[in-house]
Amino acid sequence: MDHQVLTTILFLSVVALTIFVTLRASRSSSGTSDFYAGGRSFSPVQNGLAIGGDYMSAASFLGITGIIALSGYDGFLYSIGFLVAWLVALLLVAEMLRNSGRFTMADQLAFRMKQRPMRMAAATSTVVVSIFYLLAQMVGAGTLVALLLGVDSQTVKNIVILGVGVLMIFYVTVGGMKGTTWVQIVKAVLLMTGSALIVVLVLAHYGFNLSELLGAAASNSGKGQAFLEPGLKYGATLTSKLDFLSLGIALVLGTAGLPHILIRFYTVPTARDARKSVLWAIGIIGVFYLFTLVLGFGAAAMLDTSTLDTAGNLAAPRLAEEVGGGAGSTGGAILLALIAAVAFATILAVVAGLTLTSSASVAHDVYNNVYKKGQATEKEEIKVTRIAAGAIGLVAILLAIPAQSLNIAFLVALAFAVAASANLPNIVLNMFWRRFNTRGALWSIYGGLVSAVGLVIFSPVMSGKGISETTGKNQSLLPTSIDISWFPLENPGLVSIPLGFLFGIIGTLTTREKASEERYTELEVRALTGAGAEKASSH
């Protein structure tokens, strides 16, 4: 059988499986509780797998492997940041948020603030973070399918991005949270199995000797011992060291503010289950990030990294092909198809979760609670969610096409920076500061959001990096003739996260508006004990 045909069959069967799962789940979905929170019927293990499926995105699998393959030690810092972030989510957010909210992050914020402006702000932030995150997944999908089909045509990549957009709209509009969760569970199992297989084959190649693997990676990279030490990507200058610090802060604090992760805490019956599901997720995600270490250094050791795309997004599938027997071999073709299909399932699961979260926020927070003043029927709300999913999918498609030259782990880091700047300060101040009020919350969300996105616009990401010496391509998004970069860091978190907290504090202290003592006390009791949470989730 032709390798290309084999690859395509394996690939399409994964897509068919996800569509089948969605259609099955849609049969048992009725009402907003089912549509947004899967009827709160998932066990901690199922939810832990789904959180893992939601979190281990194409950025983790393709982007981090690529960065480690190209930058060695400094690339592995992404893995560490993404994992440590879960401790913050577990300690600060998981249980308290499950106790005090209903479907979206805004439910928790609006409980003691003015409903309408608060929900509008939270929905805006949710949509912006989701779109940044969606971009990363769509870019990954375009790169992957072009590799599978053996073409480098920009048109093909654009068509794939369009196809992913259509599929993600289908998952959300048909399956809701139940369908999306089952797609994520299936994908988490596939990803862990596929990654474990490649990791075992790479280690077997080096006699299960990790130091031999690292030595081979260092010598093959052409950078010697420096490849295994800090400073290759971040460390040559003070600016790059600050950039690394900025990246680390955004990764560690961003998870606790990611809307598509926060919504998962509502899909379990109790707060205890929310905590347990995070522990399962940490276990699954921790093992996976250890895998990325072997995958990244394995790619550096076994591949000619100069032939990878500039962002390194293809390192994982190319490594799978290599350990299967190399280009042109049947084993190589099967493993390449398997890993590419798993990565594609990863992309589909994550985009479904993101689209559901942002469209649920538009329908539940903006349409029902702001526009209809809480009077919309469940049927109307679900209909608006489906329309919003289509609109958000369209925006993501239009933005993903020009963003294809960027590393996808980097694009996700931007989403984390925005989440950490706009959402996290609000969640923390709302739960722990009695005096925090509506104006403080609005200043914090919009201030964090505008500063994070604004600093990216005026950073080297958008302009001023010039042409790469190795690839001859423009390294920034805007044409080389335009240079508006005055902010030196590529990751805005170091400045925008403190600004998010600062705006919240200043906004609160400069108004006479009194926060409701009664509401704060009730929120505090509910967040810490869970008393009254069931009433909140059923009214």
Side-chain angles (χ1 to χ4, degrees), residues 250-269:
L251 294 182
V252 170
L253 298 180
T255 299
L258 284 177
H260 70 297
I261 297 296
L262 296 178
I263 203 172
R264 292 234 61 92
F265 300 138
Y266 300 126
T267 61
V268 286

Side-chain angles (χ1 to χ4, degrees), residues 7 21 34 36 49 107 119-120 124 161-162 174 211 235 243 279 294 334 365 420 436 442 462 467 517 528 534:
T7 307
V21 165
D34 270 358
Y36 294 150
L49 273 169
D107 287 339
R119 287 186 182 277
M120 199 75 206
T124 306
I161 287 173
L162 182 67
V174 174
S211 66
D243 218 348
L279 290 172
V294 177
I334 290 172
D365 298 325
F436 194 50
L442 294 175
M462 291 301 284
I467 303 291
E517 287 279 327
L528 293 171
E534 294 312 309

Side-chain angles (χ1 to χ4, degrees), residues 383-400:
K383 185 183 171 187
V384 173
T385 306
R386 290 179 167 143
I387 296 167
I392 288 159
L394 186 64
V395 172
I397 291 164
L398 294 174
L399 289 174

Side-chain angles (χ1 to χ4, degrees), residues 96-166:
M96 288 183 164
L97 203 68
R98 169 64 187 78
N99 281 342
S100 53
R102 192 177 173 211
F103 293 137
T104 63
M105 177 183 79
D107 287 339
Q108 196 254 18
L109 294 175
F111 180 74
R112 56 181 285 241
M113 309 291 175
K114 287 176 185 159
Q115 288 269 338
R116 296 177 75 179
M118 204 60 249
R119 287 186 182 277
M120 199 75 206
T124 306
S125 166
T126 297
V127 171
V128 172
V129 173
S130 298
I131 284 176
F132 265 115
Y133 216 110
L134 280 170
L135 288 187
Q137 312 308 320
M138 316 278 257
V139 169
T143 312
L144 251 184
V145 178
L147 167 74
L148 269 183
L149 300 175
V151 290
D152 199 26
S153 149
Q154 203 53 54
T155 318
V156 171
K157 288 182 184 175
N158 295 349
I159 291 168
V160 171
I161 287 173
L162 182 67
V164 172
V166 171

Side-chain angles (χ1 to χ4, degrees), residues 396-458:
I397 291 164
L398 294 174
L399 289 174
I401 290 170
Q404 289 178 63
S405 63
L406 296 175
N407 177 285
I408 48 187
F410 169 73
L411 278 170
V412 165
L414 287 186
F416 273 66
V418 178
S421 309
N423 296 347
L424 185 72
N426 254 287
I427 293 168
V428 172
L429 292 172
N430 188 45
M431 283 203 282
F432 299 106
W433 190 22
R434 190 176 289 275
R435 194 170 165 186
F436 194 50
N437 57 29
T438 305
R439 179 160 141 184
L442 294 175
W443 279 35
S444 176
I445 285 190
Y446 289 125
L449 198 60
V450 170
S451 55
V453 176
L455 290 174
V456 170
I457 290 170
F458 296 108

Side-chain angles (χ1 to χ4, degrees), residues 11-26:
F11 190 65
L12 291 175
S13 54
V14 168
V15 177
L17 175 66
T18 59
I19 291 173
F20 170 73
V21 165
T22 307
L23 290 170
R24 276 297 299 267
S26 69

Side-chain angles (χ1 to χ4, degrees), residues 39-249:
R40 303 186 202 282
S41 58
F42 291 100
S43 71
V45 180
Q46 289 171 332
N47 200 44
L49 273 169
I51 291 173
D54 221 348
Y55 192 69
M56 299 180 297
S57 64
S60 303
F61 186 49
L62 303 177
I64 294 178
T65 303
I67 288 184
I68 296 174
L70 298 174
S71 309
Y73 179 95
D74 281 10
F76 186 53
L77 296 169
Y78 272 87
S79 296
I80 295 167
F82 279 135
L83 179 60
V84 171
W86 274 101
L87 297 177
V88 180
L90 176 68
L91 296 171
L92 269 185
V93 175
E95 189 175 354
M96 288 183 164
L97 203 68
R98 169 64 187 78
N99 281 342
S100 53
R102 192 177 173 211
F103 293 137
T104 63
M105 177 183 79
D107 287 339
Q108 196 254 18
L109 294 175
F111 180 74
R112 56 181 285 241
M113 309 291 175
K114 287 176 185 159
Q115 288 269 338
R116 296 177 75 179
M118 204 60 249
R119 287 186 182 277
M120 199 75 206
T124 306
S125 166
T126 297
V127 171
V128 172
V129 173
S130 298
I131 284 176
F132 265 115
Y133 216 110
L134 280 170
L135 288 187
Q137 312 308 320
M138 316 278 257
V139 169
T143 312
L144 251 184
V145 178
L147 167 74
L148 269 183
L149 300 175
V151 290
D152 199 26
S153 149
Q154 203 53 54
T155 318
V156 171
K157 288 182 184 175
N158 295 349
I159 291 168
V160 171
I161 287 173
L162 182 67
V164 172
V166 171
L167 270 171
M168 77 186 188
I169 294 164
F170 164 79
Y171 293 138
V172 174
T173 53
V174 174
M177 179 55 94
K178 272 194 177 162
T180 301
T181 301
W182 280 112
V183 167
Q184 285 160 347
I185 290 170
V186 167
K187 167 252 146 145
V189 172
L190 286 174
L191 181 61
M192 293 301 284
T193 310
S195 303
L197 176 63
I198 306 303
V199 164
V200 168
L201 290 172
V202 168
L203 289 174
H205 188 79
Y206 291 97
F208 293 93
N209 185 332
L210 197 58
S211 66
E212 203 174 303
L213 165 64
L214 296 175
S219 60
N220 192 47
S221 69
K223 300 178 181 106
Q225 190 58 28
F227 191 71
L228 303 177
E229 291 171 358
L232 205 59
K233 185 175 173 65
Y234 301 106
T237 62
L238 177 64
T239 306
S240 64
K241 285 176 181 168
L242 286 173
D243 218 348
F244 166 64
L245 181 63
S246 190
L247 166 75
I249 290 170

